[in-house]
Amino acid sequence: MDMAKIGPGIAGGNNRQTLTDEDGEGRRLFQSWCEDAGLTMAVDKMGTMFMTRPGTDPDALPVYVGSHLDTQPTGGKYDGVLGVLAGLELVRSMNDLGIKTKHPIVVTNWANEEGARFAPAMLASGVFAGIHTLDYAYGRKDMDGKTYGDELQRIGWVGEEPVGARKMHAYFEYHIEQGPILEAENKQIGVVTHGQGLWWLEFTLTGKEAHTGSTPMPMRVNAGLAMARIMEAVQTIAMANQPGSVAGVGQVKFSPNSRNVLPGTVVFTVDLRSPDQGKLDRMRAEIEAKAAEIAASLGVGCSVEAVGHFDPVAFDPTLVARVRAAAEKLGYSHMDIISGAGHDACWTNKVAPSTMVMCPCVGGLSHNEAEEISKEWAAAGADVLFHAVVETAEIVQ
Ligand code: HGY
Ligand code: MN
Ligand code: MN
């Protein structure tokens, strides 16, 4: 709740977008809490924060536990934040209990998980996993044309450490489900076995700027109409690939976006996801083909760029089993689940054994300021996380 006071939204949630002053303030608060718990901070060149609790074996690779503190513009208080602060709480509990582990523990705040301001999502963990270069990431621009590199510099969080230099023994991420399944099934814990794959397809449609009043209908080159028909086609294609696949449009930019001017340019992003690799790629091909056909039928120019992508992810079976065993041992109701949302764990899984723990959220609502969980749900997930992480880090006392 103290973190939620930083970058407050307008309806009880948060607007603490990556590399804003509010993000900087949230980082400093998190750093102070971590240093009070005896952790030492390192920051890499993408601005990701690594807070280390030493292990007894200096040569043992650390066990990482983290998520993200950046939010959507109309985000909730728990998406990402729960996982970062649960990592901190895990360390505080180890301190209280005098637990020492062979492997160090590193609590992590990944920069720019959301991808709302600078696409793609999971940008920093993507550089860490070798998916993106640092130059590509630094060059990513927000809607105002500001670059990631400049904004990271401006808030003073460019770290020294080369991105991806540090190696992991294992990575755990605790996150709200952001979907309705756990609550509907009355389960306290989501044992996350997989994450669905994703394409972010950015379409640029080129019409003809013209007067909305004096231009006869047959003379119009209407990029807005093309977008509307493509959005309908996206819905039809997603519904033809049930169960499990999803597709929709969250961001549209009309230029000049004036009430009485037909748009010259319309830019919009299709967010397409499926746990099934074949469906994911077939749907992408169908959407792109249909978009080209619709644009051509209206004389509208159409180009598309994939601005985000990851294949469906299978998390580490040993770690997944350890989460499931912890839930069993602690007596929490649980079920296996596929993550509908993308997470930094999807990228760390490329370079180290990774998995996730999920708790329910009210009505499955997320990316909405009304996002809500119960303290009981939060505590149960943190308890399972604690046991899975500490077992992986090997208690020596
Ligand atoms: O888009 C996602 O899945 C994540 O919330 N950034
Ligand atoms: Mn998240
Ligand atoms: Mn999110």
Side-chain angles (χ1 to χ4, degrees), residues 368-388:
N368 180 309
E369 292 205 42
E371 181 183 275
E372 196 51 77
I373 60 175
S374 73
K375 283 185 180 173
E376 293 69 29
W377 284 341
D383 203 4
V384 168
L385 177 77
F386 179 92
H387 284 263

Side-chain angles (χ1 to χ4, degrees), residues 68 70 72 79 112-116 120-122 175 178 196 198 200 271 273 310 339-344 366-367:
H68 60 93
D70 67 306
Q72 288 284 334
D79 172 0
N112 191 32
E113 187 281 339
E114 289 294 354
M122 295 98 79
H175 206 289
Q178 300 182 292
Q196 65 177 348
L198 164 151
W200 279 1
D271 183 330
R273 310 196 194 198
F310 52 86
S339 176
H343 301 284
D344 294 306
S366 184
H367 285 194

Side-chain angles (χ1 to χ4, degrees), residues 6 34 54 67 129 140 180 183 220 270 394:
I6 299 173
C34 286
S67 193
R140 302 306 288 158
E183 187 187 45
R220 296 181 178 207
V270 174
E394 297 174 46

Side-chain angles (χ1 to χ4, degrees), residues 222-267:
N222 192 336
L225 176 61
M227 181 203 72
R229 289 185 180 168
I230 291 167
M231 287 171 81
E232 185 68 44
V234 166
Q235 176 74 10
T236 304
I237 291 165
M239 294 313 288
N241 282 276
Q242 295 306 305
S245 306
V246 292
V249 174
Q251 186 179 67
V252 176
K253 186 176 177 191
F254 271 49
S255 301
N257 203 34
S258 168
R259 290 180 190 79
N260 44 3
V261 178
L262 289 168
T265 310
V266 174
V267 179

Side-chain angles (χ1 to χ4, degrees), residues 100 161 175 215 234 347-348:
K100 292 192 185 322
E161 189 176 296
H175 206 289
T215 309
V234 166
W347 283 144
T348 63

